[in-house]
Amino acid sequence: METIIQTYQLTKTFKDATIIKPLDFALQKGEICALIGQNGAGKSTLFKMLAGQLRPTAGDMHLFGKTGRDVAQARRRMGFLVETPVFFPNFTATQNLEYFRIQRGVVEKKRVDEVLEIVSLAKEKRKRFKDYSMGMKQRLGIALCLLSSPDCLVLDEPINGLDAEGIREIRNLLVKLNQEKQITIFISSHILTELQLLATRFVFIKNGVIVEDISKDSLQEKSQKQLQLTVDDTAKTAQLLEQTYVDIQFKVLPNQVIIIHNHVECSGDINRLLLDNGVFVREFRIEARNLEEYFLELVGGNGHD
C-alpha cells in the first residue's frame, strides 16, 4: 500500500504558541480521511504545511515517499483547496480555469473542459463566476484542484457554509473521484455529520494533537444504540451488571441514570435481571448514541487555527 502523506513529529509554533504539537500521521493511497476538530484545533495549519504555504518549525514530512528538496516535486501530484481560491468575478468558469491552466503550466487545453465535466459545471461554464451559487463556487474550486490530474486532494472545509443540496453535490463528487479516478482524499471539517457519509477514516484533532484515529466501521460501532435505565439503586445495578456480563460497558450518571453501551441486544434479559433482584426500574429505553456529542466531548475546547 502506497503511503501518500507521512509526517514525523511535525510541529508548528507561532511566537510562543505551539499550534501543531509533534504529529505522527500517515495517509494511505485510496483513503478518504476526514480531519475533524473545532475551529482553532490546527486543521488549517496542518494543511498549509502540507501545501507548502507554511514551514514546519520542527519534524519531517514525506509526500509520496519523497522528502527534503524532492517534496516540492511530489506536491505537484496533489491538489490543494486550503484557502478560498481567488477567481475573477467577471470571468466565466472556462476563462477562470484557462487563466490558471496557463499560470500552472498545464499543457493540455482540453483539460479545462474535462474538469468542468467532472464537477458537473459543463452546462454552466459560460456563466460568470459572480453569478454562481456557493456550491457551484466550491465545485469550481475542486475543478481547479483537478487541473493537474492529481493523485491526492487536500481540501480544507470545502463544505463549510453550503446548504444540504450543496453538501450532497460535493460529497457525491468526492466519492466519484475516489472510486472512479482512485484519488486519495484528505478533507477537514468541524462538523462530523457532514463527513460521516463520505470518509473511510476519521481523525480527530484537538489543540494540535490527534486525540482519536478511527475507521468507519469502528465509528459505526460506537454509534450503535445504547440502553438508558433509571433505577432506584445504581450501586446494586452496577454490581449485578458486572457479575452477569464480564465485559459490560456502562456509566453511572446523576439522577439514578445508568447508560449501558454494549449488550444492547440483551435488553430484555437485563430488565429481568434487575427486577428479579429487587431493583426498581423506573425507566428503560433504547436510544441511538449521538456521535456528534461523543466527539464534541473528545475535541471540545478552544485553540488557535
Side-chain angles (χ1 to χ4, degrees), residues 139-161:
R139 297 208 316 265
L140 190 62
I142 293 172
L144 177 59
C145 288
L146 295 170
L147 263 184
S148 55
S149 308
D151 296 309
C152 175
L153 290 181
V154 176
L155 309 170
D156 192 16
E157 301 261 3
I159 41 193
N160 200 9

Side-chain angles (χ1 to χ4, degrees), residues 27-34 178-179 185 187 195-203 213-219:
L27 180 73
Q28 307 301 331
K29 183 172 169 56
E31 286 189 293
I32 301 183
C33 180
N178 178 257
Q179 291 175 355
I185 296 170
I187 178 173
L195 298 181
Q196 243 175 306
L197 296 167
L198 171 68
T200 55
R201 174 181 169 200
F202 299 84
V203 173
D213 184 342
I214 186 170
S215 71
K216 184 172 192 134
D217 292 346
S218 305
L219 187 75

Side-chain angles (χ1 to χ4, degrees), residues 58-297:
D60 197 10
M61 173 171 64
H62 293 199
L63 301 178
F64 296 96
K66 300 275 190 281
T67 184
R69 290 187 177 154
D70 298 331
V71 163
Q73 186 70 32
R75 228 177 239 123
R76 293 184 182 168
R77 295 178 60 188
M78 304 175 78
F80 294 94
L81 189 57
V82 176
E83 311 255 79
T84 312
V86 182
F87 289 114
F88 299 100
N90 287 315
F91 276 23
T92 63
T94 304
Q95 288 169 327
N96 267 301
L97 290 181
E98 183 59 21
Y99 167 82
F100 284 108
R101 180 187 73 80
I102 293 163
Q103 191 197 39
R104 293 179 180 190
V106 176
V107 180
E108 293 178 350
K109 211 168 157 52
K110 68 175 196 296
R111 186 66 188 154
V112 168
D113 281 336
E114 285 172 9
V115 295
L116 286 169
E117 189 68 49
I118 292 169
V119 301
S120 306
L121 285 175
K123 293 188 177 69
E124 312 282 354
K125 64 183 179 185
R126 291 192 175 79
K127 203 180 223 178
R128 286 190 299 184
F129 180 74
K130 65 179 183 186
D131 299 325
Y132 268 21
S133 70
M134 182 88 173
M136 288 161 73
K137 287 176 176 173
Q138 287 294 57
R139 297 208 316 265
L140 190 62
I142 293 172
L144 177 59
C145 288
L146 295 170
L147 263 184
S148 55
S149 308
D151 296 309
C152 175
L153 290 181
V154 176
L155 309 170
D156 192 16
E157 301 261 3
I159 41 193
N160 200 9
L162 296 186
D163 59 13
E165 177 65 21
I167 290 171
R168 194 168 69 241
E169 286 172 359
I170 298 281
R171 194 170 61 222
N172 292 343
L173 167 62
L174 295 179
V175 168
K176 186 173 86 172
L177 290 172
N178 178 257
Q179 291 175 355
E180 293 176 14
K181 312 257 185 239
Q182 275 70 58
I183 294 177
T184 306
I185 296 170
F186 193 20
I187 178 173
S188 77
S189 179
H190 56 285
I191 303 172
L192 170 67
T193 43
E194 290 182 350
L195 298 181
Q196 243 175 306
L197 296 167
L198 171 68
T200 55
R201 174 181 169 200
F202 299 84
V203 173
F204 293 86
I205 186 169
K206 177 180 180 178
N207 297 336
V209 177
I210 289 177
V211 288
E212 174 101 80
D213 184 342
I214 186 170
S215 71
K216 184 172 192 134
D217 292 346
S218 305
L219 187 75
Q220 278 165 341
E221 274 172 37
K222 277 193 190 294
S223 66
Q224 278 174 341
K225 296 184 173 61
Q226 58 188 19
L227 295 177
Q228 181 172 326
L229 319 181
T230 310
V231 295
D232 65 342
D233 186 340
T234 49
K236 188 171 181 183
T237 302
Q239 192 185 359
L240 286 165
L241 288 171
E242 284 170 343
Q243 283 169 357
T244 314
Y245 302 98
V246 183
D247 61 340
I248 192 88
Q249 292 170 2
F250 66 91
K251 64 178 176 203
V252 180
L253 301 180
N255 305 326
Q256 310 291 91
V257 172
I258 289 191
I259 303 271
I260 303 175
H261 296 307
N262 58 354
H263 292 293
V264 179
E265 68 289 347
C266 307
S267 57
D269 297 336
I270 290 172
N271 196 17
R272 196 172 311 114
L273 170 76
L274 300 179
L275 294 174
D276 288 352
N277 285 278
V279 175
F280 176 61
V281 182
R282 271 202 293 280
E283 191 183 15
F284 189 103
R285 68 168 193 260
I286 300 178
E287 54 176 31
R289 187 118 172 246
N290 184 335
L291 274 184
E292 199 70 40
E293 279 170 19
Y294 169 77
F295 287 113
L296 274 177
E297 284 170 26

